[in-house]
């Protein structure tokens, strides 16, 4: 099994930046595709970003493209979501997820393991 723990959330002013980290444990972490999702109050969980097991391929939701960057360090069992130019509409609980099988990357249904989430609040 893979265990995921997110950290780095908090309160930030619009236009600011935050760096979310996802610490993973498990023997086969380096072979898992990883993704970030978010869920705001009253809304469904939505796709944010995806990175392949090799780190050579990434995918972003249109709403965050150009502002967010996903990266991974398999040696450190860590996935990062760097969030820049934050907007109030980015406010949500952000979840790290692991996919044991490479697929589309954007569907939450393909992910097998999830972290507990970390709150990001962007003030106007």
């Amino acid at each position: 099994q893979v265990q995921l723990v997110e950290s780095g959330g908090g309160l930030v002013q619009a236009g600011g930046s935050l760096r979310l980290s996802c610490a993973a444990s498990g023997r086969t972490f380096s072979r898992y595709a990883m993704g970030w999702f978010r869920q705001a109050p009253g809304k469904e969980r939505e796709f944010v970003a995806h990175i392949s097991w090799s780190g050579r391929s990434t995918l972003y939701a249109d709403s965050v493209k150009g502002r967010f960057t996903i990266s991974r360090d398999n040696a450190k069992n860590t996935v990062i979501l760097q969030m820049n130019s934050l907007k109030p509409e980015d406010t949500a609980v952000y979840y790290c997820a692991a996919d044991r099988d490479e697929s589309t990357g954007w569907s939450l249904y393909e992910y097998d393991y999830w972290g507990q989430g970390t709150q990001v609040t962007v003030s106007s």
Side-chain angles (χ1 to χ4, degrees):
Q1 189 179 53
V2 174
Q3 292 79 44
L4 307 172
V5 180
E6 304 95 333
S7 63
L11 176 64
V12 65
Q13 191 174 34
S17 299
L18 280 176
R19 181 178 181 270
L20 304 185
S21 296
C22 176
S25 63
R27 292 181 178 271
T28 58
F29 169 78
S30 64
R31 300 298 298 184
Y32 283 71
M34 301 294 296
W36 286 95
F37 291 77
R38 67 187 183 186
Q39 188 165 20
K43 300 184 67 177
E44 296 183 353
R45 185 164 46 183
E46 66 176 350
F47 168 74
V48 175
H50 163 92
I51 188 167
S52 65
W53 67 267
S54 67
R56 290 191 288 269
S57 179
T58 58
L59 183 68
Y60 297 93
D62 289 341
S63 59
V64 307
K65 194 174 299 182
R67 300 188 298 120
F68 291 10
T69 302
I70 187 172
S71 61
R72 69 189 298 164
D73 186 338
N74 289 342
K76 298 179 179 179
N77 291 343
T78 301
V79 179
I80 301 297
L81 184 68
Q82 178 66 48
M83 306 185 295
N84 299 325
S85 302
L86 284 163
K87 306 174 181 179
E89 49 263 45
D90 294 318
T91 296
V93 176
Y94 283 71
Y95 297 91
C96 177
D99 180 10
R100 60 190 176 189
D101 300 309
E102 284 280 9
S103 187
T104 66
W106 48 259
S107 175
L108 64 87
Y109 301 106
E110 71 188 68
Y111 289 85
D112 304 290
Y113 306 102
W114 295 84
Q116 85 288 350
T118 185
Q119 177 70 50
V120 171
T121 302
V122 184
S123 62
S124 60

